[in-house]
Amino acid sequence: MSIRPGFYSVRQSGSAQDPMDDEAWGLAMLSHFKDGRVVGVDQGGCRVSGTYKNRPDGGIDLHMIYDLKCGSHLPNGAVLEADHRIEGDLVLAGETVTGGHQLLDIGLGPMFISFEWLAEGV
């Protein structure tokens, strides 16, 4: 199975929170996946871009670039005093891209993430 092309809600929860508690989750970003490319935005003005490859186990390999704006609030409570770019590689399990959750760290501190497919893309 591979990731379904289209728009996804990517939610996050702090690593100290119970990922089974629906109230622990907040919208991290809205992302679009198609033809090996991903783009997205979050409510704080972070722009996300990158590439992905489907894995035989149903997960995906991601290379992501996060462009954060000055004043962005990080999961650890810090506020950025200048624009900042984070770039890195992630491996998401098949269960994560189909609604499960996974603990990871993109360089902002550990957090749980979960995907929810929203709609077909263009």
Side-chain angles (χ1 to χ4, degrees), residues 8-13 25-31 40-46 48 66 111-114:
Y8 285 81
S9 164
V10 182
R11 300 184 323 152
Q12 78 177 43
S13 174
W25 293 90
L27 177 64
M29 71 182 77
L30 177 65
S31 297
V41 294
D42 76 5
Q43 56 200 8
C46 176
V48 178
Y66 301 86
M111 68 183 85
F112 288 103
I113 66 158
S114 177

Side-chain angles (χ1 to χ4, degrees), residues 37-121:
R37 298 191 47 84
V38 59
V39 295
V41 294
D42 76 5
Q43 56 200 8
C46 176
R47 292 178 27 180
V48 178
S49 60
T51 58
Y52 70 93
K53 292 182 190 173
N54 290 309
R55 298 172 52 89
D57 62 5
I60 55 174
D61 290 323
L62 289 160
H63 179 79
M64 301 296 292
I65 300 168
Y66 301 86
D67 288 311
L68 298 127
K69 292 294 197 187
C70 176
S72 294
H73 293 260
L74 304 182
N76 64 6
V79 178
L80 290 179
E81 296 182 9
D83 291 353
H84 189 71
R85 175 174 272 192
I86 297 173
E87 187 169 354
D89 297 311
L90 304 169
V91 177
L92 298 183
E95 296 82 18
T96 305
V97 297
T98 58
H101 61 272
Q102 179 176 340
L103 183 65
L104 54 82
D105 189 341
I106 63 168
L108 301 173
M111 68 183 85
F112 288 103
I113 66 158
S114 177
F115 281 52
E116 179 184 358
W117 187 86
L118 299 174
E120 294 284 339

